[in-house]
Amino acid sequence: MFKKLKSLFSKSKATNNNADDGTSVAKQAKDFEKLLKKTQKDHLITTQIMTWLDKQEWKYDHRSPNDDGHTHHLILGFTDRENDWTCVFRINEENQLVSIFGILEESVPVSHYTAILMEFAKVNLSVSFGGIEFDPNDGEVRTKIAFDVEFGGLSDKALGCYLQAVAGLTEVARSVMQAVMADDEPSQFAGDYVDLGDEVKTTINDEKQVFYLPTHTAQ
């Protein structure tokens, strides 16, 4: 971007001595104005969030879009009591959608997948804004809040509320995860984590008994 701006200034200076310098300078000024407006538009939301983070004196890493993409990432670390977590702002400047993630450092082992999925599902039923996500590909636990800047606007107060909500959800996610991980041998049957009717419980118990019976063929 700065190379383009510098080239525009150089061209303006070079054409200043020409007979038609008035027309050339006017054209270069118009091109510069278009480039400046485009740059501001492409980074408007990201710049606003970065300015807010700077006010808090927080250090962060800004990762620009790849190639001709429109998605920026702002990454910063937080310490919640004795636990660390990573906050990620994902900003799509094209559709003006922003997502804030709170990512826990610990991952969930495969042995606890069923338990963590069921517990997070129950928690998400009572969450009115945002939610807790679990990635079965790598066992990552993260919280997420998403909002549309185009229709809702963005202010310092709103950013503070959004980040506080993510921090609160992250604390809930960690508490649930710790409770689940405290069980060394969690059940692999989803029905064991919900309050079911007697008929359904009987069906599940029968299924479990059959499942663990030794056979000559793979089950």
Side-chain angles (χ1 to χ4, degrees):
M1 179 188 74
F2 291 106
K3 289 183 178 179
K4 291 183 179 179
L5 295 177
K6 185 177 180 181
S7 65
L8 289 176
F9 280 118
S10 299
K11 291 180 180 178
S12 297
K13 184 176 180 180
T15 55
N16 193 41
N17 296 326
N18 295 339
D20 58 344
D21 61 337
T23 303
S24 299
V25 171
K27 183 178 182 305
Q28 297 299 330
K30 185 177 293 185
D31 291 341
F32 172 76
E33 184 178 359
K34 288 182 179 178
L35 178 60
L36 184 61
K37 287 183 176 179
K38 182 180 184 301
T39 302
Q40 291 175 338
K41 182 179 179 182
D42 289 347
H43 301 78
L44 184 61
I45 302 173
T46 304
T47 301
Q48 187 173 354
I49 296 177
M50 290 171 64
T51 300
W52 180 76
L53 293 174
D54 290 337
K55 290 180 183 178
Q56 317 308 315
E57 298 183 351
W58 290 336
K59 295 181 180 180
Y60 57 87
D61 178 25
H62 175 210
R63 298 185 182 179
S64 301
N66 295 327
D67 301 328
D68 296 328
H70 302 277
T71 303
H72 295 253
H73 291 86
L74 302 176
I75 305 171
L76 57 159
F78 282 111
T79 297
D80 185 7
R81 296 176 183 175
E82 296 181 355
N83 301 295
D84 297 334
W85 59 283
T86 302
C87 179
V88 178
F89 288 81
R90 186 175 67 191
I91 308 149
N92 189 316
E93 294 283 358
E94 184 177 29
N95 57 25
Q96 301 185 48
L97 293 177
V98 178
S99 298
I100 307 177
F101 296 91
I103 305 173
L104 300 184
E105 288 193 339
E106 305 84 2
S107 59
V108 179
V110 176
S111 59
H112 289 67
Y113 273 19
T114 301
I116 204 75
L117 283 168
M118 292 303 297
E119 294 302 330
F120 283 158
K122 288 189 286 186
V123 171
N124 283 328
L125 289 175
S126 61
V127 176
S128 57
F129 182 51
I132 302 174
E133 297 182 346
F134 173 66
D135 190 343
N137 293 310
D138 56 9
E140 181 181 86
V141 175
R142 57 181 177 259
T143 60
K144 175 185 176 183
I145 284 181
F147 52 93
D148 192 334
V149 177
E150 180 180 4
F151 298 104
L154 192 60
S155 64
D156 288 358
K157 183 177 180 180
L159 283 170
C161 291
Y162 292 147
L163 188 55
Q164 183 63 38
V166 170
L169 282 173
T170 301
E171 187 174 345
V172 171
R174 178 179 287 112
S175 297
V176 173
M177 182 176 174
Q178 289 175 345
V180 170
M181 295 302 297
D183 187 353
D184 294 333
E185 297 182 0
S187 172
Q188 302 303 313
F189 291 88
D192 290 343
Y193 300 96
V194 294
D195 186 14
L196 303 172
D198 293 337
E199 183 177 350
V200 178
K201 287 182 179 179
T202 300
T203 302
I204 290 177
N205 288 332
D206 291 342
E207 179 186 351
K208 290 164 67 175
Q209 291 175 4
V210 175
F211 181 84
Y212 287 112
L213 287 178
T215 61
H216 295 289
T217 59
Q219 298 188 57

